[in-house]
Amino acid sequence: MKALITGASSGIGREFALYLAELGYDLIICSRSTDKLNALKDEIKNVSVRVITIDLSRESDAFDLYEHLKEEDIDVLINNAGFGAFGKFLNVPLEREVELIHTNVSSVHILTKCFLKDMQSKNSGLILNVGSMAGFSAGPKLSSYYASKNYVVRLTQAINEELRRDGSKVKISVLCPGPVETNFNNVANVRFTTKGLNARDVARYAFDKARQGKIIIIPGFLMKTVKFFEHFLPENLLTRISYNVQSKKEGK
């Protein structure tokens, strides 16, 4: 068995790698941080680990990654790479937003489509896209990030329904956590207003649920409760609430 994990150098991606290694998967781990990937490789002793340094903020790198690995017979793809950019829409540099879109949207779309074709041809495999609770609403002051995660959630749901109707044995899921103790807030230049979940717990819960065929995976009782009550509020009110929540994240 072989798994490909993007954004594997830290946080949830790193924990995915450690857990899948425990389960006996040979790993291909990718990110921009070669040193962190090599340190993770040295930590894992029981399976084969291959390191690929790649920058998925460049759209061409996703195509290059697939071309490099298309003969590898990937059983599991975890699209974990992603980041946020905090600030009002007009204030966030466009170049940063384009990098975000390439990382959070384009690379996820490209890798999902390319590897899904291979999995469908053998009628087996699992794809786990890492979304966010942000994928269920609009997010003023994190507008591009929220929009990108909406894309990931809805794309995954649509693909799942197509696979279901085709009678495919390929599984696809999306992980939608709330705050998690990772490097996300440092990259996005924000601070969380609630304590984050443990990345190790989130990764293990998510992969177990994905193997069971769960489509939308929301770890933690609090976020499940939030998602439930969102159904009863109008969109414009949710957006106003979101603005107030994001405003509290400023000033780290």
Side-chain angles (χ1 to χ4, degrees):
M1 301 182 294
K2 188 175 295 183
L4 167 63
I5 306 171
T6 69
S9 59
S10 64
I12 298 174
R14 184 179 188 278
E15 296 299 336
F16 274 130
L18 292 171
Y19 186 40
L20 268 66
E22 286 183 24
L23 297 175
Y25 285 88
D26 291 328
L27 302 177
I28 302 173
I29 53 176
C30 309
S31 83
R32 293 184 295 181
S33 179
T34 307
D35 290 344
K36 289 182 179 179
L37 290 177
N38 282 329
L40 177 57
K41 178 181 179 179
D42 291 342
E43 188 175 340
I44 297 171
K45 305 297 185 181
N46 61 310
V47 297
S48 169
V49 181
R50 182 175 172 186
V51 166
I52 297 179
T53 305
I54 196 165
D55 183 358
L56 291 173
S57 69
R58 300 189 297 246
E59 185 177 296
S60 60
D61 278 25
F63 287 108
D64 291 343
L65 181 62
Y66 174 71
E67 286 300 316
H68 194 59
L69 298 176
K70 64 183 180 181
E71 305 300 331
E72 291 283 341
D73 192 19
I74 301 297
D75 298 292
V76 172
L77 165 64
I78 299 181
N79 280 312
N80 174 71
F83 67 91
F86 183 80
K88 290 185 178 180
F89 180 74
L90 288 177
N91 295 339
V92 178
L94 179 59
E95 294 81 4
R96 186 62 169 165
E97 289 178 307
V98 172
E99 290 179 348
L100 182 152
I101 292 167
H102 286 330
T103 306
N104 296 14
V105 177
S106 299
S107 70
V108 173
H109 188 112
I110 291 164
L111 295 176
T112 296
K113 194 177 192 75
C114 291
F115 284 105
L116 180 60
K117 287 183 178 180
D118 296 339
M119 292 177 182
Q120 187 74 320
S121 67
K122 63 181 182 180
N123 199 28
S124 69
L126 185 155
I127 297 175
L128 176 54
N129 292 326
V130 176
S132 168
M133 284 293 292
F136 302 116
S137 60
K141 293 193 174 183
L142 273 169
S143 57
S144 299
Y145 176 76
Y146 271 61
S148 72
K149 294 305 183 180
N150 271 263
Y151 186 96
V152 172
V153 170
R154 299 311 181 193
L155 179 70
T156 303
Q157 286 180 298
I159 294 170
N160 176 79
E161 179 61 14
E162 292 174 359
L163 293 173
R164 187 188 71 83
R165 288 179 181 260
D166 289 341
S168 175
K169 293 182 180 179
V170 179
K171 297 176 182 177
I172 186 166
S173 302
V174 59
L175 168 61
C176 298
V180 180
E181 294 173 351
T182 69
N183 197 42
F184 173 87
N185 52 336
N186 293 324
V187 175
N189 195 31
V190 299
R191 57 180 174 84
F192 289 130
T193 54
T194 58
K195 181 175 173 56
L197 296 175
N198 180 272
R200 180 180 184 273
D201 295 339
V202 169
R204 289 166 180 255
Y205 176 84
F207 191 68
D208 288 345
K209 289 296 183 182
R211 288 196 294 174
Q212 293 167 15
K214 181 74 171 175
I215 305 166
I216 296 178
I217 302 165
I218 301 175
F221 176 76
L222 176 60
M223 289 300 108
K224 287 184 174 71
T225 303
V226 169
K227 181 66 170 64
F228 174 78
F229 282 106
E230 281 182 349
H231 291 296
F232 302 101
L233 298 177
E235 288 287 339
N236 61 339
L237 179 57
L238 286 172
T239 302
R240 291 173 185 175
I241 293 171
S242 179
Y243 183 94
N244 292 332
V245 170
Q246 307 313 327
S247 295
K248 294 177 181 178
K249 295 177 181 178
E250 201 164 8
K252 62 179 285 290

